Amino acid sequence: MSGARPSGLIAPETDGEPETRGQLHISDRVVERVAGYAVTWVPDAIAAPRKVLGLTMGQRDTDDEAKVRVQVHGSVATVHAKIGVRWPASVRSVAEQVRSRIRADLAEITQVTVDHVDIDVVDLPPDTAHAARVR
């Protein structure tokens, strides 16, 4: 009886083409989280600090996700990210790397194509790991 199915259990329909089995919907929030996490993989790109009335709140964590807003229409997304770039890295270079990483990760993980990525660089903190000390 090892191959017998207990009575009352119905096997999911797996016959046929994938298109006939149903659809998978990935929420906009999941797409936002993937895009925000993608920023953490780009050297010299960091999440924008939380600010209230122009003052930075709390400690910065380099593993924090970037603040990202996403609009998904079907399988195409428009992404808007707020990031910081470690000084003295090239803002243009880091922004291009962020765009590329967001596009690649969203395509691979969510199967969403990115139409456009807007990036606001709102912080340029110094790279404290490589800062020279004054003696």
Side-chain angles (χ1 to χ4, degrees):
M1 288 211 102
S2 62
R5 180 177 300 140
S7 62
L9 294 179
I10 300 172
E13 184 62 43
T14 57
D15 295 335
E17 296 298 316
E19 307 83 47
T20 62
R21 288 188 247 158
Q23 295 180 341
L24 173 64
H25 175 75
I26 299 174
S27 77
D28 292 3
R29 181 67 184 131
V30 170
V31 177
E32 285 178 350
R33 295 290 305 265
V34 170
Y37 186 68
V39 174
T40 66
W41 289 95
V42 176
D44 296 320
I46 57 173
R50 290 187 321 221
K51 292 192 175 195
V52 175
L53 299 173
L55 300 173
T56 300
M57 304 302 294
Q59 295 291 332
R60 180 187 324 274
D61 185 358
T62 57
D63 292 333
D64 282 348
E65 296 173 12
K67 292 174 180 61
V68 176
R69 284 192 334 257
V70 174
Q71 294 177 332
V72 181
H73 301 285
S75 64
V76 179
T78 300
V79 180
H80 181 92
K82 286 187 178 183
I83 67 169
V85 175
R86 286 191 184 98
W87 178 259
S90 165
V91 172
R92 178 175 283 163
S93 174
V94 172
E96 283 305 315
Q97 291 175 50
V98 167
R99 282 187 186 97
S100 178
R101 184 67 190 229
I102 287 173
R103 287 179 194 277
D105 283 6
L106 287 181
E108 180 180 345
I109 296 169
T110 66
Q111 306 300 307
V112 171
T113 303
V114 177
D115 176 49
H116 190 76
V117 180
D118 285 327
I119 297 177
D120 285 340
V121 177
V122 296
D123 196 25
L124 294 169
D127 185 1
T128 56
H130 298 100
R133 293 183 160 221
V134 177
R135 294 180 192 234

